[in-house]
């Protein structure tokens, strides 16, 4: 009966005003576009400095070709959002006064917090900045939700599968005790604790989302899925650490976005934690095989295993399937092949 009910849910969000904190990034802009298509009013709060246009213009470590490519992706994100009437309060959410002004002006019924340094490597190298962005923006967001419960009735926090740390088994569900390692994972877990405590102390309804190994168009976050296709297009070899046997639950951003939207629609999505992934870990070597079919000349090499990388696996999605009728649609063979074809087209256009 539960699944039958969920299949008939109303996905019209025309009565919702949704604010995305740190929403101009990879996940955020995809989510903003989908929310607008479902008729919600959307405001994207972002200072555009982390993994965005200011950083791309000032970063001296990337090639001119990649800089042009990434700026092209960013401008495309904004063009798509402008075309759908999404507003952009260009403020730093670490500043409570500025965020409060934007909040009072927009009066969001839901808030989705995405602000973070998306790279675990960068977060480890810049811990002060990483914690500052993740924790202080969330602190301010919780403060507004606490003081204006008559306006906002749900806070969605984008956490990460990295909070689980090294997987002890081939798969994990949401009942497994998190054992995060590194700045990025610990920052996300601290965020989870903050929103749960806000529910206990102030009755702020929350939803915690744990995605995994995301990929999709207009990504500039430096994930392995992006690095592999870029290396292939540059004529560089694909290096498979430890033979490429490391397992990741690769998830297309469209599947994640659909799951997030369902947590906004179903009452069962409130005050719970959800794994929102494809639900089937695959070896990293499978990425190389897909690229090889598209770019036959690419060279694939084995490399020594990276000792500090966490051991991962499948994130069980039974809870999301049961309560939200979450059904990911893009397996790696389809989703990643589409992504590589898209990247090849964009690479040639910018070139």
């Amino acid at each position: 009966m539960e699944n039958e009910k969920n299949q008939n849910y109303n996905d019209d969000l025309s009565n919702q005003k949704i604010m995305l904190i740190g929403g101009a990034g990879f996940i955020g802009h995809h989510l903003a576009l989908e929310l607008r298509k479902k008729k919600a009013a959307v405001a994207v709060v972002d200072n555009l400095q982390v993994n965005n246009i200011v950083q791309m213009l000032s970063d001296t470590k990337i090639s001119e070709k990649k800089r042009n490519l990434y700026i092209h992706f960013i401008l495309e994100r904004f063009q798509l959002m402008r075309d759908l009437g999404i507003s952009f309060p260009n403020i730093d959410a670490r500043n409570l006064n500025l965020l409060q002004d934007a909040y009072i002006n927009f009066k969001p019924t839901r808030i989705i917090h995405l602000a973070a340094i998306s790279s675990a490597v960068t977060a480890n190298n810049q811990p002060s900045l990483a914690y500052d962005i993740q924790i202080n923006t969330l602190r301010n967001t919780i403060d507004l939700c606490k003081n204006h419960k008559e306006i906002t009735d749900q806070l969605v926090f984008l956490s990460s599968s990295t909070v689980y740390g090294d997987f002890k088994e081939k798969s994990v569900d949401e009942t497994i005790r998190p054992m995060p390692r590194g700045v990025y994972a610990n920052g996300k877990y601290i965020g989870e604790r903050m929103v749960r405590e806000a529910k206990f102390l102030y009755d702020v309804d929350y939803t915690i989302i744990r995605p995994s190994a995301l990929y999709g168009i207009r990504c500039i976050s430096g994930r392995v899925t992006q690095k592999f296709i870029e290396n292939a297009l540059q004529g560089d070899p694909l290096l498979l650490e430890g033979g490429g046997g490391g397992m990741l639950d690769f998830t297309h951003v469209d599947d994640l976005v659909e799951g997030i939207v369902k947590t906004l629609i179903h009452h069962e999505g409130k005050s719970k934690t959800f794994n929102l992934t494809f639900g089937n870990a695959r070896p990293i070597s499978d990425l190389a095989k897909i690229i090889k079919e598209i770019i036959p000349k690419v060279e694939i090499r084995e490399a020594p295993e990276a000792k500090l990388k966490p051991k991962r696996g499948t994130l069980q999605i039974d809870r999301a399937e049961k309560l939200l009728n979450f059904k990911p649609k893009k397996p790696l063979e389809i989703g990643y092949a589409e992504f590589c074809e898209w990247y090849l087209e964009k690479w040639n256009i910018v070139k």
Side-chain angles (χ1 to χ4, degrees):
M1 292 296 292
E2 186 70 42
N3 284 340
E4 182 179 342
K5 178 185 71 172
N6 285 338
Q7 288 173 1
N8 297 317
Y9 73 91
N10 180 10
D11 64 355
D12 183 353
L13 293 172
S14 57
N15 63 335
Q16 299 295 329
K17 302 176 73 175
I18 302 173
M19 176 174 279
L20 308 184
I21 308 295
F26 172 51
I27 300 173
H29 88 278
H30 279 285
L31 180 57
L33 294 172
E34 185 63 21
L35 291 171
R36 277 299 293 146
K37 290 174 184 176
K38 289 185 166 36
K39 302 179 182 179
V42 179
V44 170
V45 173
D46 206 300
N47 65 6
L48 307 181
Q49 292 180 0
V50 177
N51 204 26
N52 217 296
I53 194 161
V54 174
Q55 182 181 352
M56 291 304 111
L57 289 171
S58 60
D59 192 343
T60 59
K61 296 180 181 179
I62 60 174
S63 67
E64 197 65 23
K65 168 61 186 261
K66 287 185 180 179
R67 188 194 322 278
N68 292 335
L69 191 69
Y70 298 163
I71 291 174
H72 176 77
F73 294 166
I74 293 169
L75 294 178
E76 191 173 90
R77 292 176 184 177
F78 279 95
Q79 184 63 56
L80 290 168
M81 289 191 285
R82 277 198 303 270
D83 289 346
L84 291 182
I86 293 168
S87 62
F88 306 103
N90 179 212
I91 62 172
D92 192 326
R94 291 171 292 184
N95 186 315
L96 179 57
N97 290 331
L98 294 178
L99 183 60
Q100 181 171 265
D101 288 345
Y103 178 93
I104 295 301
N105 182 59
F106 186 65
K107 294 181 173 59
T109 57
R110 314 285 180 89
I111 296 181
I112 302 175
H113 183 279
L114 306 109
I117 291 180
S118 59
S119 166
V121 174
T122 303
N124 283 339
N125 291 333
Q126 302 182 56
S128 296
L129 179 61
Y131 285 133
D132 187 23
I133 291 172
Q134 287 196 34
I135 295 170
N136 288 332
T137 58
L138 181 59
R139 175 203 63 194
N140 291 341
T141 303
I142 289 173
D143 197 53
L144 293 172
C145 291
K146 173 179 72 72
N147 294 332
H148 300 282
K149 287 190 287 185
E150 76 285 358
I151 297 176
T152 305
D153 63 7
Q154 185 181 11
L155 168 59
V156 178
F157 176 64
L158 262 290
S159 183
S160 167
S161 61
T162 60
V163 299
Y164 290 113
D166 286 331
F167 284 24
K168 305 301 182 184
E169 306 291 340
K170 291 183 178 179
S171 65
V172 296
D173 65 16
E174 296 89 345
T175 66
I176 297 294
R177 181 183 177 184
M179 298 290 287
R181 292 172 51 196
V183 172
Y184 177 78
N186 275 284
K188 288 296 188 182
Y189 187 51
I190 292 169
E192 290 191 8
R193 298 290 299 271
M194 289 169 68
V195 297
R196 290 194 185 99
E197 198 67 15
K199 172 62 177 177
F200 176 74
L201 293 175
Y202 318 119
D203 197 29
V204 174
D205 276 326
Y206 71 87
T207 304
I208 293 171
I209 306 296
R210 292 172 177 167
S212 171
L214 289 169
Y215 67 94
I217 62 176
R218 294 185 295 276
C219 179
I220 60 171
S221 305
R223 295 173 168 89
V224 63
T225 44
Q226 175 194 345
K227 289 181 177 178
F228 264 29
I229 185 60
E230 287 180 353
N231 286 347
L233 292 170
Q234 291 174 156
D236 296 334
L238 307 185
L239 301 179
L240 299 180
E241 296 174 348
M247 305 294 288
L248 287 173
D249 196 342
F250 293 105
T251 306
H252 195 283
V253 68
D254 289 352
D255 285 333
L256 171 65
V257 164
E258 180 182 351
I260 295 172
V261 171
K262 288 188 174 184
T263 69
L264 301 173
I265 293 168
H266 294 299
H267 179 75
E268 294 85 351
K270 286 188 176 182
S271 296
K272 293 182 180 67
T273 299
F274 292 98
N275 292 335
L276 290 184
T277 70
F278 191 76
N280 181 27
R282 303 283 295 274
I284 292 175
S285 59
D286 283 359
L287 299 178
K289 292 176 183 177
I290 293 171
I291 291 175
K292 186 76 172 176
E293 293 177 359
I294 298 170
I295 306 175
K297 293 182 179 180
V298 68
E299 181 184 358
I300 300 173
R301 296 181 189 171
E302 290 194 13
E305 185 175 1
K307 296 180 180 180
L308 295 180
K309 286 195 175 179
K311 296 178 181 178
R312 310 289 291 284
T314 295
L315 278 73
Q316 296 176 27
I317 57 174
D318 304 62
R319 178 182 292 177
E321 288 177 331
K322 179 181 179 181
L323 297 181
L324 306 176
N325 195 34
F326 173 62
K327 295 180 180 179
K329 299 179 177 65
K330 291 197 173 183
L332 201 62
E333 287 77 9
I334 294 175
Y336 192 57
E338 290 176 351
F339 171 66
C340 290
E341 294 283 6
W342 172 86
Y343 218 107
L344 175 60
E345 178 185 351
K346 293 295 183 179
W347 186 270
N348 291 329
I349 289 174
V350 175
K351 184 177 179 180

